[in-house]
Amino acid sequence: MVNRLQDSASDYLRQHAHQAIDWWEWSPEALAHAQAEGKPIMLSVGYASCHWCHVMSHESFDDASIAEFLNAHFVAIKVDRQQHPDVDQVYMTATQALNGGAGGWPMTAFLTPTGEPFFAGTYFPPEPGQGMPSFREVLEAMATAWNERRDEVVSSATAIAAHLAESTEVFLRDEAPDLRAAVDQVEAAYDVIHGGFGTAPKFPAATLIDALLVKGDPRTLEMAQRSLEAMARGGIHDQVGGGFHRYAVDAGWVVPHFEKMLYDNALLLGTYVRGWRRTADHDAGLRALFERTAYGIVAWLEREMRSEQGAFHSALDADSCDIRGAVFEGIFYLWNPQLLTEVLGEELGDWAAEVFHVTNGGTFEDGLSTLQLRGKPDFDKLEAATARLLAERDTRFRPATDRLVVAGWNALTVSALVTGAMVFNEPRWLDLATGAASYLADVHMVDGELRRSSLEGVAQSALASAEDHGQVAEAFALLASVHGDPAWLHRAEALLDRALELFAHPDGGFHDAADTGLYDRPRATTDNVTPSGTSALVAALRLVGLLAERDDFITRADAAARTTWDAVSSAPRFAGSALADLMVVDEARRGLKPATVVVVSDDPFDELARAAWRLAPAGSAILRAPTGTEGFGTHLEGRDERAVHVCRGTVCFTPVDDYTELQNPLWRRV
């Protein structure tokens, strides 16, 4: 038996296609069906690499009696949060409000037929225990409430929806935040022992670290560099295969939650490249560690995440299944001393056990260990050992891949690859970036509209979010700036023009999603796992505004950035993207204005262009194009010789043709 999810454009939804539940995808038709039937909605939200989503699916959704009860009393809707971030955001806000701040996936919400929530939770077990009701008990209670106290339930849901809509209003501050006070708040959460921010569970804070790198004074650099070093050395970092796991369950970065997400690695790739740029030449060991980490992320992206069409898949599961179907969390990545010796031999195995802190007792379960990088090992010896370990690991049962292609996450990857390609002189990385961006342009642009996701080369129907629009526009603009191809810039302009129509809020900020009829339009000014929609659009508007000479974009970015000031003031740790933007603006007020750098050269990897990418202050726009290129406004007018032209604000400097002379015009305060 299969249900209507069998044809879904989501691996996560297809995982539920065999169940006896009469699942619907999120759609106007599903809501209309609930209204016609007069039944409440049981909304289940998750994603393909979510461990507890799999657990609840096997325990409860595979149960025939649960399916029968659900079908009789509810309209069941299954949502992939990566396809519909607007639905996820709205109902996660409701879940957290109804549960004292607790939320997560799987998310289970009960809604009126018109979509207002009246009860919500996360994972429910098949049997009651540890203070939790069973899923069957929850279903029965919700059905009873709907059948016997419907008016009360509807009234309560209406009140809840109204309250939640009011709670998302943005407070507009009259004055910009005190950045010194914001950094003080961040420092108060900084873990001086282990690096990073907060306690367990500990998440990579890429956007926050980027903000600290913008400022770049001794205090902010210490927090940024120490955090990057600790993560690179920790078990959260896949020391063998490259890339980062989702988060660490402990404060010391030792044991991760093992799923790997594209967005985490895209953001961290860019952050490690920028961390390398901001680390002094004399600190060679730290620079080498950051460089190794960046190269490892790209190797993992190309080896394990790239689709046949050149885009990047969204995630790898935390779990592996053996031939019997038994599930083991993280087993793909774990070692003990004996396993190391079997692969590397006794001498090299003993060395690897010491370097990676693999002990007989183990750092995980059953005497197994995650790999952590200790000391200052010989990197050549390290790479030789990890190559052999990777070859052996590839014979293990692999975690499943969520093949969904998400527009914004691919764009983050493109932007990071472009930045890394220019800083590290890696043309192959630029090829990877161009291939993924071309996929977005060819597949995700449908009838002039950007689509959120695709599967197997086919785009879904849902419009992309504000975040997607900003991130894709920025990625396209960066490709224009490196290739010297104005077609990419024109695509970026068109995306932003459309975003201003779809997401604009009267206060100058942005909604996170188009108006799709939800009881509330999601709007966040803090970052989640990725930059907020507002911050993504602000960054894109600033870059494209400089490259396309669109002053209206710059003005619009300034207005939108103002809506993030309260978030930066009250919760700077969770508003890294907005904090970074304010850091750039503040540095400009102090005379270190972002630069518009025009490199006239036929070679994308001319040493002049690479020097500009390594040296330009945060917020700068770099354009490399051959002599005679048209389509970039006045940027190339009268500039016919190989040279770098630097303008900062209203001040333009004498062109230079020696990369060693770039430091002065780029960093002189004016």
Side-chain angles (χ1 to χ4, degrees):
M1 175 182 177
V2 292
N3 57 47
R4 60 175 61 85
L5 299 185
Q6 63 180 316
D7 298 321
S8 172
S10 159
D11 279 343
Y12 174 63
L13 268 58
R14 289 185 184 185
Q15 289 170 2
H16 300 78
H18 67 280
Q19 291 164 347
I21 298 171
D22 186 23
W23 286 114
W24 290 75
E25 293 193 51
W26 181 267
S27 64
E29 291 77 17
L31 295 175
H33 177 70
Q35 292 163 31
E37 293 287 313
K39 291 181 178 179
I41 294 167
M42 194 286 296
L43 178 72
S44 176
V45 182
Y47 56 104
S49 59
C50 165
H51 171 75
W52 287 102
C53 299
H54 297 322
V55 172
M56 188 169 175
S57 179
H58 295 317
E59 289 177 343
S60 296
F61 296 142
D62 284 348
D63 186 298
S65 66
I66 291 288
E68 182 179 6
F69 191 87
L70 262 174
N71 293 339
H73 296 280
F74 300 91
V75 171
I77 300 179
K78 175 63 73 173
V79 170
D80 184 338
R81 64 179 291 257
Q82 296 172 177
Q83 280 188 310
H84 291 283
D86 54 337
V87 176
D88 176 63
Q89 187 174 340
V90 164
Y91 291 109
M92 182 57 71
T93 300
T95 300
Q96 291 170 329
L98 293 168
N99 289 275
W105 299 275
M107 175 178 28
T108 308
F110 293 86
L111 323 175
T112 67
T114 52
E116 294 88 0
F118 58 88
F119 182 82
T122 54
Y123 163 79
F124 291 105
E127 301 294 335
Q130 297 183 335
M132 296 180 66
S134 70
F135 186 53
R136 178 65 182 240
E137 289 174 332
V138 172
L139 290 177
E140 291 174 348
M142 294 302 104
T144 298
W146 183 255
N147 292 327
E148 298 180 3
R149 304 188 304 277
R150 184 171 307 186
D151 290 345
E152 178 185 334
V153 169
V154 170
S155 177
S156 175
T158 301
I160 290 169
H163 174 73
L164 291 171
E166 290 176 2
S167 69
T168 60
E169 291 296 319
V170 172
F171 174 71
L172 293 179
R173 296 173 59 93
D174 293 329
E175 297 182 356
D178 181 339
L179 291 183
R180 182 181 295 274
V183 173
D184 287 345
Q185 285 191 59
V186 171
E187 189 173 33
Y190 174 62
D191 185 340
V192 296
I193 297 174
H194 302 110
F197 303 89
T199 57
K202 188 175 282 184
F203 291 78
T207 60
L208 178 58
I209 293 171
D210 273 330
L212 298 175
L213 290 170
V214 170
K215 185 65 176 175
D217 63 23
R219 179 167 67 141
T220 61
L221 274 181
E222 162 66 20
M223 288 189 283
Q225 291 173 331
R226 176 73 181 100
S227 297
L228 290 174
E229 179 183 11
M231 291 190 296
R233 290 182 175 277
I236 191 175
H237 181 205
D238 182 355
Q239 304 291 344
V240 168
F244 284 82
H245 300 291
R246 181 70 190 88
Y247 60 85
V249 301
D250 59 283
W253 305 108
V254 177
V255 177
H257 178 48
F258 287 95
E259 64 184 316
K260 281 183 167 182
M261 308 300 295
L262 179 63
Y263 54 74
D264 285 322
N265 285 281
L267 289 168
L268 286 166
L269 172 59
T271 303
Y272 273 97
V273 173
R274 287 181 282 274
W276 183 92
R277 285 183 55 206
R278 288 297 251 166
T279 301
D281 290 341
H282 62 74
D283 201 341
L286 199 58
R287 283 192 122 199
L289 178 64
F290 292 173
E291 185 173 338
R292 174 184 183 265
T293 303
Y295 271 80
I297 293 173
V298 178
W300 171 73
L301 287 170
E302 185 170 15
R303 185 182 66 250
E304 299 187 35
M305 299 301 287
R306 193 164 183 249
S307 73
E308 293 181 358
Q309 297 91 357
F312 294 95
H313 299 308
S314 63
L316 295 183
D317 273 14
D319 307 329
S320 296
C321 295
D322 66 14
I323 197 170
R324 302 164 299 168
V327 177
F328 299 92
E329 183 181 4
I331 195 70
F332 188 70
Y333 304 100
L334 299 170
W335 303 84
N336 61 25
Q338 180 181 350
L339 289 170
L340 293 177
T341 300
E342 288 175 359
V343 177
L344 301 175
E346 186 170 350
E347 181 179 349
L348 188 56
D350 289 345
W351 178 85
E354 181 177 353
V355 167
F356 289 132
H357 191 55
V358 176
T359 65
N360 289 321
T363 56
F364 187 62
E365 298 170 352
D366 301 321
L368 295 170
S369 293
T370 59
L371 301 187
Q372 304 169 70
L373 188 61
R374 298 296 180 91
K376 297 180 179 180
D378 180 319
F379 271 24
D380 289 337
K381 190 174 183 180
L382 183 67
E383 295 312 307
T386 55
R388 291 167 64 179
L389 293 175
L390 180 63
E392 191 283 331
R393 198 176 77 177
D394 283 343
T395 67
R396 298 177 176 181
F397 294 105
R398 299 186 61 81
T401 302
D402 182 353
R403 300 170 302 148
L404 195 72
V405 173
V406 178
W409 303 356
N410 269 259
L412 289 173
T413 309
V414 169
S415 295
L417 285 168
V418 170
T419 303
M422 299 310 299
V423 169
F424 291 132
N425 191 23
E426 288 289 348
R428 174 60 183 163
W429 296 12
L430 182 58
D431 291 342
L432 293 173
T434 305
S438 296
Y439 177 91
L440 294 179
D442 294 341
V443 175
H444 281 242
M445 293 300 303
V446 180
D447 298 328
E449 299 282 12
L450 181 65
R451 307 297 181 178
R452 164 71 177 179
S453 66
S454 66
L455 186 68
E456 298 174 339
V458 178
Q460 69 161 132
S461 59
L463 286 176
S465 66
E467 178 186 334
D468 294 314
H469 279 75
Q471 289 160 354
V472 174
E474 183 174 12
F476 285 179
L478 289 175
L479 282 175
S481 72
V482 172
H483 286 301
D485 182 355
W488 286 112
L489 185 60
H490 299 333
R491 293 186 184 106
E493 281 189 86
L495 276 173
L496 292 179
D497 283 329
R498 183 59 175 141
L500 294 177
E501 296 174 357
L502 286 172
F503 308 114
H505 190 281
D507 66 10
F510 298 106
H511 294 285
D512 291 337
D515 189 355
T516 57
L518 290 168
Y519 68 84
D520 186 28
R521 287 184 72 180
R523 188 183 186 203
T525 51
T526 54
D527 294 339
N528 197 328
V529 292
T530 54
S532 71
T534 296
S535 289
L537 284 172
V538 166
L541 287 164
R542 293 201 190 286
L543 176 62
V544 177
L546 290 173
L547 290 173
E549 299 176 316
R550 291 280 300 267
D551 290 341
D552 60 319
F553 280 1
I554 304 295
T555 300
R556 194 66 182 80
D558 289 340
R562 183 170 176 263
T563 68
T564 69
W565 288 358
D566 187 59
V568 172
S569 180
S570 60
R573 181 180 153 201
F574 304 102
S577 299
L579 179 61
D581 181 72
L582 269 171
M583 291 285 195
V584 171
V585 172
D586 185 64
E587 289 295 287
R589 291 195 190 102
R590 299 169 184 270
L592 187 60
K593 295 179 173 66
T596 301
V597 186
V598 178
V599 182
V600 180
S601 172
D602 294 338
D603 179 8
F605 288 89
D606 189 306
E607 62 184 10
L608 295 175
R610 289 188 285 112
W613 277 89
R614 288 190 175 194
L615 294 172
S620 298
I622 303 169
L623 170 63
R624 193 284 321 168
T627 300
T629 302
E630 297 181 352
F632 286 107
T634 64
H635 287 305
L636 295 169
E637 287 183 0
R639 295 172 173 177
D640 300 324
E641 302 291 331
R642 177 182 176 273
V644 182
H645 304 263
V646 178
C647 294
R648 308 235 320 276
T650 59
V651 177
C652 291
F653 298 86
T654 302
V656 299
D657 59 7
D658 183 345
Y659 74 91
T660 63
E661 299 175 8
L662 267 179
Q663 181 81 27
N664 182 50
L666 286 174
W667 285 87
R668 183 197 303 173
R669 293 188 180 268
V670 294

